[in-house]
Amino acid sequence: MQHLCSVVAGARIDAANLLRRALDTSNFWNLLEKRCEQLNKNPAEVSILIKPDVETLIEKSPTQVSAAFVNAFVDALLEYGYTNVNVGVSLEFDFPWIENRDALGLAEFAGYLDKHGNLCVDLLDHLSALSDANSSVLSGIPVSKTWLDADIRIIVASNKTDQKNGFSLCLNSLLSIISPQDRAKLRCSGVEEKQVCRALVAHVGAHFGIIDAIRSAHGSGGRLSPDTLITNTVIASDDIILADYVGATKMRLSPVSSELFEAVGNQLCLEDVSIRGNLQPYQGWKNVDPIIKDSVFKASKLTNGNPVVESIFQQVQTSLFPISDPLHRVILNELYGEGQRGYGELVPLHLLCNSLLSSACYLGEAINIVANKDEIVQRIANINVDPNHVKLKNFLPMAKALAAELAELELVKSDEDGFRAVCHGSMIKFEITQRFLVDFETFTERVAVENSMQFLNDYIGGSSLPLKYNRSERVSHQIERTIYLPQPNFVVSEALRYLDVTKIEYITFKKEQQRFYWKTIFSENNSAIRDDGIVTFKREGDCTDVTISSVQQLTLPPLWESYFNSLPLVNQSTLTTKNYKRFFLQTMANLEALLEGRSIRIGKTCEQNFAGLSAFLADHPLVQLTTLLKKIVESTSTATSHRVPFDVLGIDECGFKHLKAVKNVSTSSEQETKSTRELFWKVIAQMSDASLLDAAHGGDQHL
């Protein structure tokens, strides 16, 4: 399908005319006509939803699409007879300590309600789960029902830099059809923004994308502290991926510098697109400093995308958006000096905060992987393979070839634990066999062979997609993505790289034997070169034999790879064999636990993580401190406004009344303030003890 993008610029042309030219030259009106024909509706019946970027914390911020631009767009649609138009707004960030931040309030602040106020709706007022997202990261996650129900969905993005991704355009805007709270829930489950973006584009993408680059936000401050640049440009396309590609090019950026674009960029074939207009970069444009981008990106990875530091450095115009939390108010005033200090002066402090937070989160996660696996949050991962491109006829030849390759192990003698292995450099072929004193029927009833990958040691999450079932309604062909803790666990001393592999799987069911074949097709993070094998459940009289045969070649972090390669071949072989034997002996222990009805799943669910985090925050001295600060401010205000007993001494010639306060009188408000302050210092004392306890028990993981 041929996609088209139009770039219209002009220093002496107003926003309304630039927009109309962009719509005309991008075949926008033809797109609407075709959509009407597909739906068998006339223009007045087709529901059109415009989603502009409305998020801002500063007056006249370039991160917000202007009201003039939105109104001009609505006017153009009405002129062409498209009267069923709505402007949907939603919040991108969840800052509960900042007031006046409801979506419709921001729309009113931006001026959207002045002309077409009756058309504005809060996208997140009504949410609905996706019916076709069961196998994706969006399973169980509600999205905007207004967005889902619209016949034509249009994103209008502001033109801005972003400290994490380099730029923030249409793809970033699409993320906010999910509430900030649900996006936080996904982050706590280990789901990255790029996975969410890929799933949204696949299931509920936009039909058209527009970038309002009349006034742009450039520079290292990104959305935290934007610098305005007049660029007088409008970009319009029937593909939001293409719109972001062109927008990034105009910024002198590689589109894949954004992990969101990288996640969906393979859907864009440049041979099938047409770009009209000038792709010359904006004059005077400044991008985010590479050091800042790298720092923010790494901190985001280690905190699962939680904008902890960004929320501290977010510039806020407090006269419009009051800060209810005293601690944040003090921090903001200290950082920006009530608007007298710019973000440029705060860059070293921002980098330091990112470094400290990254180190704390890294240390906490590494300690959990090695010593406290139940504290790790289980991962959710969607399968990034189009099942229509998977040929089922290739599964059986794959199984036969794998069995032939692993036949080499029959020449090797097993040790006392039923383990045998052959090493070829960093690749290992091994097999382990153990007998369970349980009859075959009972064993296979309690241990489903098609779930074999989930029974392996250190499994922390993933998902599977059945492709074909046999006559007994058992899965015979499937795709599965599995995530395991870094292997061996001690490599976390250098890098937190989970073992993330996507595989095709072929399962056979016979009276005397069940077999599970798996073969890696790719690794999302290049953590594995090969991870293929066979699991066999075989009847042996009144017992069941379980055999796991595999060929593995995992990648190591550079430091450990260098150390490994420096060892003699004999030592390399011994070290590799020892670690794999330990791993699969624990896997056999997992099977025994399943037979006994015990749970083998490590880690905690997202819901458990939320509950634990809430309990932690409720009792944490820092949170108590913030609450007490607020109470002190309120009680002090009450005390100063309370009438104090006094004696009137007289009135002078100018009419001023002279008063004398009564001594030794303490009002209830003063007493409350005194007790509150005493409690405040008590909590301060507790914090020193709590910080030591947190350090001793890996408490930094809760950041």
Side-chain angles (χ1 to χ4, degrees):
M1 179 180 177
Q2 184 80 17
H3 291 289
L4 175 63
C5 183
S6 176
V7 183
V8 178
R12 299 182 181 180
I13 308 174
D14 62 22
N17 283 319
L18 280 176
L19 173 62
R20 287 177 180 264
R21 289 188 184 184
L23 295 176
D24 291 341
T25 54
S26 62
N27 291 341
F28 174 72
W29 304 112
N30 291 338
L31 173 75
L32 295 192
E33 290 177 6
K34 290 180 181 179
R35 188 66 177 155
C36 288
E37 292 175 2
Q38 291 173 356
L39 300 171
N40 196 23
K41 294 181 178 180
N42 61 49
E45 294 174 328
V46 172
S47 60
I48 298 177
L49 180 64
I50 303 171
K51 184 195 175 300
D53 283 347
V54 72
E55 185 71 82
T56 186
L57 293 170
I58 304 171
E59 188 176 16
K60 296 181 180 179
S61 170
T63 62
Q64 189 178 57
V65 176
S66 69
F69 195 89
V70 173
N71 290 333
F73 193 11
V74 173
D75 289 340
L77 288 167
L78 295 177
E79 287 179 18
Y80 276 81
Y82 296 96
T83 55
N84 189 6
V85 180
N86 280 306
V87 177
V89 292
S90 62
L91 294 180
E92 188 171 348
F93 305 107
D94 186 22
F95 295 146
W97 55 87
I98 302 178
E99 299 177 358
N100 299 341
R101 282 194 70 255
D102 63 287
L104 290 178
L106 287 177
E108 182 179 9
F109 171 68
Y112 293 176
L113 307 187
D114 294 346
K115 187 173 182 180
H116 299 294
N118 60 314
L119 304 180
C120 274
V121 295
D122 186 341
L123 286 180
L124 303 180
D125 270 352
H126 303 286
L127 302 175
S128 176
L130 295 174
S131 58
D132 58 344
N134 292 331
S135 62
S136 80
V137 295
L138 299 180
S139 178
I141 300 296
V143 301
S144 168
K145 189 175 187 303
T146 307
W147 178 266
L148 289 177
D149 293 342
D151 294 327
I152 300 173
R153 302 185 288 262
I154 303 170
I155 286 178
V156 182
S158 54
N159 195 46
K160 51 193 176 293
T161 54
D162 181 77
Q163 291 187 330
K164 177 185 175 184
N165 288 309
F167 60 91
S168 173
L169 300 171
C170 294
L171 291 172
N172 289 75
S173 184
L174 181 63
L175 293 175
S176 56
I177 67 171
I178 302 176
S179 70
Q181 295 77 17
D182 284 321
R183 293 204 303 277
K185 180 179 179 181
L186 287 167
R187 286 198 301 268
C188 285
S189 301
V191 178
E192 298 179 343
E193 277 190 346
K194 64 180 181 181
Q195 295 174 262
V196 178
C197 178
R198 186 188 292 120
L200 288 174
V201 169
H203 295 283
V204 287
H207 299 101
F208 203 84
I210 300 173
I211 300 174
D212 171 17
I214 306 296
R215 294 170 66 246
S216 301
H218 74 141
S220 291
R223 293 179 290 182
L224 298 186
S225 182
D227 290 332
T228 302
L229 181 70
I230 304 300
T231 45
N232 289 314
T233 302
V234 175
I235 299 170
S237 176
D238 59 354
D239 182 0
I240 62 172
I241 303 175
L242 177 57
D244 275 26
Y245 173 87
V246 172
T249 303
K250 294 281 289 180
M251 296 179 185
R252 301 196 313 273
L253 285 173
S254 167
V256 293
S257 63
S258 164
E259 66 171 2
L260 301 187
F261 186 92
E262 185 181 21
V264 298
N266 60 347
Q267 301 178 29
L268 182 66
C269 179
L270 294 179
E271 296 177 357
D272 296 331
V273 304
S274 175
I275 300 174
R276 297 174 180 173
N278 189 350
L279 290 181
Q280 288 297 316
Y282 304 115
Q283 277 194 337
W285 186 267
K286 295 179 182 178
N287 286 309
V288 177
D289 187 283
I291 296 177
I292 297 175
K293 183 177 182 298
D294 181 68
S295 169
V296 173
F297 184 81
K298 288 179 178 177
S300 175
K301 286 291 184 185
L302 288 167
T303 60
N304 288 330
N306 198 340
V308 178
V309 176
E310 280 62 38
S311 67
I312 296 174
F313 284 86
Q314 176 65 59
Q315 191 172 9
V316 181
Q317 191 170 343
T318 54
S319 59
L320 298 171
F321 303 97
I323 299 178
S324 59
D325 179 49
L327 193 58
H328 276 87
R329 190 186 310 139
V330 171
I331 291 174
L332 187 68
N333 287 337
E334 287 296 324
L335 288 176
Y336 286 101
E338 297 184 354
Q340 297 177 1
R341 190 179 294 116
Y343 174 77
E345 300 175 57
L346 304 176
V347 168
L349 181 60
H350 191 181
L351 295 176
L352 176 63
C353 288
N354 278 334
S355 177
L356 292 175
L357 180 64
S358 299
S359 300
C361 291
Y362 180 95
L363 180 61
E365 185 84 350
I367 291 173
N368 284 337
I369 288 173
V370 174
N372 193 13
K373 295 178 181 180
D374 286 336
E375 283 299 312
I376 303 169
V377 181
Q378 295 170 2
R379 299 299 196 261
I380 298 175
N382 62 317
I383 296 172
N384 302 316
V385 176
D386 185 350
N388 297 319
H389 294 162
V390 179
K391 298 180 179 179
L392 298 182
K393 65 179 183 179
N394 293 333
F395 280 55
L396 180 57
M398 173 273 292
K400 291 180 177 179
L402 189 56
E405 181 180 7
L406 292 171
E408 174 187 359
L409 292 167
E410 296 176 2
L411 303 176
V412 181
K413 184 178 179 180
S414 300
D415 64 14
E416 66 278 5
D417 293 313
F419 184 86
R420 53 187 176 184
V422 176
C423 290
H424 301 280
S426 60
M427 184 178 74
I428 181 173
K429 296 179 183 178
F430 65 88
E431 181 178 278
I432 185 170
T433 300
Q434 290 203 356
R435 178 164 294 179
F436 292 84
L437 304 180
V438 180
D439 64 87
F440 186 72
E441 284 73 18
T442 302
F443 187 95
T444 54
E445 180 182 347
R446 296 181 182 178
V447 183
V449 68
E450 58 265 43
N451 296 331
S452 293
M453 291 296 96
Q454 300 171 30
F455 304 150
L456 297 188
N457 184 39
D458 283 351
Y459 175 80
I460 197 65
S463 57
S464 60
L465 178 62
L467 301 176
K468 185 179 179 181
Y469 294 85
N470 61 17
R471 295 178 181 177
S472 301
E473 297 300 317
R474 299 286 295 272
V475 177
S476 61
H477 300 68
Q478 69 180 5
I479 307 173
E480 185 169 14
R481 180 178 175 187
T482 55
I483 301 177
Y484 302 91
L485 298 184
Q487 298 299 325
N489 289 164
F490 58 75
V491 300
V492 298
S493 59
E494 183 184 355
L496 285 175
R497 183 166 59 180
Y498 286 70
L499 183 58
D500 186 349
V501 181
T502 301
K503 328 166 177 181
I504 57 172
E505 298 165 350
Y506 178 65
I507 308 103
T508 62
F509 301 88
K510 297 180 180 179
K511 187 176 180 179
E512 303 294 321
Q513 176 180 280
Q514 294 182 0
R515 278 198 137 179
F516 176 97
Y517 302 83
W518 82 89
K519 184 173 181 62
T520 294
I521 50 179
F522 69 93
S523 171
E524 291 276 353
N525 59 357
N526 298 317
S527 54
I529 299 172
R530 289 200 67 180
D531 178 9
D532 314 329
I534 307 169
V535 177
T536 305
F537 298 164
K538 185 178 180 182
R539 184 195 304 273
E540 285 294 336
D542 293 333
C543 302
T544 303
D545 280 358
V546 175
T547 301
I548 302 175
S549 311
S550 182
V551 52
Q552 304 254 337
Q553 186 175 9
L554 309 183
T555 60
L556 292 172
L559 179 63
W560 284 105
E561 185 178 11
S562 176
Y563 169 74
F564 183 82
N565 291 337
S566 68
L567 296 174
L569 291 178
V570 175
N571 292 356
Q572 289 183 17
S573 178
T574 302
L575 182 62
T576 302
T577 302
K578 183 178 179 180
N579 281 294
Y580 276 99
K581 180 179 178 179
R582 183 190 301 117
F583 182 93
F584 282 94
L585 282 175
Q586 183 57 49
T587 297
M588 291 298 183
N590 286 350
L591 297 181
E592 185 176 350
L594 288 172
L595 290 173
E596 296 173 357
R598 292 185 282 118
S599 173
I600 62 170
R601 188 73 189 268
I602 63 171
K604 54 187 177 182
T605 64
C606 177
E607 289 75 15
Q608 291 171 333
N609 188 40
F610 265 114
L613 185 60
S614 300
F616 169 80
L617 290 176
D619 297 331
H620 199 276
L622 182 59
V623 178
Q624 294 183 35
L625 173 62
T626 304
T627 305
L628 284 170
L629 279 171
K630 186 184 298 185
K631 192 174 181 182
I632 288 172
V633 172
E634 293 171 351
S635 60
T636 304
S637 175
T638 304
T640 55
S641 63
H642 196 278
R643 184 177 296 276
V644 179
F646 57 83
D647 291 331
V648 179
L649 298 179
I651 302 176
D652 63 19
E653 64 277 7
C654 297
F656 289 99
K657 184 182 291 185
H658 292 259
L659 309 174
K660 181 181 180 181
V662 178
K663 296 182 179 180
N664 301 324
V665 176
S666 177
T667 66
S668 59
S669 296
E670 290 172 331
Q671 292 170 351
E672 181 183 357
T673 302
K674 182 180 179 181
S675 62
T676 303
R677 285 173 174 159
E678 290 175 353
L679 187 57
F680 166 77
W681 290 112
K682 182 179 179 181
V683 171
I684 289 290
Q686 290 177 354
M687 285 184 64
S688 60
D689 296 334
S691 62
L692 294 175
L693 287 173
D694 279 353
H697 296 288
D700 285 336
Q701 65 187 297
H702 296 287
L703 289 173

